[in-house]
Amino acid sequence: MSVVPPNSDVIVYPDSQRLSSAAADLIVGEIEASPKDRFSLGLAGGSTPADTYRVLADGDADWRKVDAWLSDERWVPHDHEDSNGRLAARLLMDDVPATFVRPRWAPWLYAADAAAHYEAELRRLHPDGRADLIMLGMGDDGHTASLFPGTAALDAPDHRWFVSNFVPNLDADRLTATYSFLRAARHVLFLVAGPGKAAALRQVLEPADGETTLPARGVIGGDARVTWLVDEAAAAELVATPSRRAD
Ligand code: 6PG
């Protein structure tokens, strides 16, 4: 059963390299096409976006109008190897004249307080409550950002945009955008690649009756237009989802 709502779009690429190149083209196109003085870009964590960041860093866009921020972050020091912000800075943000707003971290700071402070920064950047473009990945358990199955952030109050979230399976605190903020975006861009994601992507896009709803599906159906850029390997189990193939 595929009930991908009308404002969702699935595009399948032969491999992750072409997915990454297409993602970079889409992001640059939206930055350039935006009529606004500022463009809000939410950066995804994890490894999938890395090649997209590299392509963006080598390309050209009006980065001076971009306010970049993180759709989620690990609760680690800024220079920690696990930091999403560190990865985005090293692959892209250090090389372009965008504004990059990262959550605070300090040994004496509580994750919840850091999330609340970051949320205030996001409210300053988004007076209308809507990010222009948010990049997201998806884990093989169907999590997105740091909205993991069975965790408290899935039920964050609607007025919250960014919260801390303890993830028992990782025994770690995370900071994450909430469904409320993600679903309000103008455009959400999922990047999903590799065979390890195929089962979860099928369950997210083509949930069988009675199957658990995986977190990534919760981003669909809000005000955001949602585009899924996936490679053939991740799309291998999709049978009913309308999709376009791209080369
Ligand atoms: C994180 C991410 C997370 C990520 C998925 C996919 O902090 O880990 O934001 O949501 O997008 O886990 O990760 P990969 O791209 O590494 O498969």
Side-chain angles (χ1 to χ4, degrees):
M1 169 183 76
S2 170
V3 285
V4 177
N7 63 342
S8 290
D9 193 18
V10 178
I11 308 172
V12 183
Y13 294 86
D15 54 48
S16 61
Q17 284 73 27
R18 274 172 276 198
L19 183 162
S20 300
S21 178
D25 289 346
L26 184 152
I27 292 163
V28 170
E30 293 204 6
I31 293 170
E32 299 303 300
S34 174
K36 301 192 308 161
D37 293 340
R38 305 300 300 167
F39 185 91
S40 159
L41 175 62
L43 300 176
S47 58
T48 302
D51 284 343
T52 298
Y53 294 152
R54 292 187 180 99
V55 173
L56 288 170
D58 288 342
D60 190 22
D62 186 7
W63 288 103
R64 285 181 175 72
K65 69 192 274 193
V66 174
D67 294 314
W69 48 278
L70 293 166
S71 49
D72 77 316
E73 181 58 293
R74 288 81 183 277
W75 186 233
V76 294
H78 273 191
D79 59 354
H80 192 283
E81 64 179 3
D82 290 346
S83 165
N84 290 331
R86 175 178 180 267
L87 180 74
R90 290 181 59 182
L91 296 183
L92 175 58
M93 286 290 124
D94 287 351
D95 298 326
V96 296
T99 300
F100 185 26
V101 183
R102 294 176 63 176
R104 287 182 179 178
W105 184 90
W108 42 266
L109 201 52
Y110 288 110
D113 293 336
H117 181 272
Y118 199 54
E119 181 180 80
E121 299 245 35
L122 293 175
R123 290 187 188 282
R124 180 176 54 79
L125 290 176
H126 304 92
D128 68 350
R130 303 195 74 190
D132 292 301
L133 178 59
I134 305 178
M135 298 170 69
L136 290 175
M138 189 193 74
D140 57 12
D141 62 354
H143 81 263
T144 190
S146 285
L147 299 168
F148 285 80
T151 60
L154 297 176
D155 300 311
D158 287 346
H159 69 275
R160 295 303 307 272
W161 292 7
F162 211 85
V163 295
S164 62
N165 191 32
F166 179 71
V167 184
N169 288 358
L170 303 174
D171 190 24
D173 281 312
R174 292 286 191 94
L175 306 183
T176 185
T178 62
Y179 282 134
S180 182
F181 190 53
L182 296 174
R183 289 161 61 94
R186 289 179 178 81
H187 193 189
V188 170
L189 179 65
F190 275 97
L191 309 182
V192 185
K197 308 291 176 75
L201 189 63
R202 194 281 306 158
Q203 191 169 338
V204 166
L205 295 179
E206 302 178 6
D209 292 342
E211 248 183 340
T212 306
T213 299
L214 297 182
R217 181 158 184 92
V219 178
I220 295 176
D223 294 329
R225 177 160 63 90
V226 181
T227 300
W228 297 77
L229 302 188
V230 304
D231 68 359
E232 291 283 1
E237 295 187 22
L238 298 182
V239 293
T241 299
S243 62
R244 288 188 283 135
R245 260 136 181 83
D247 54 17

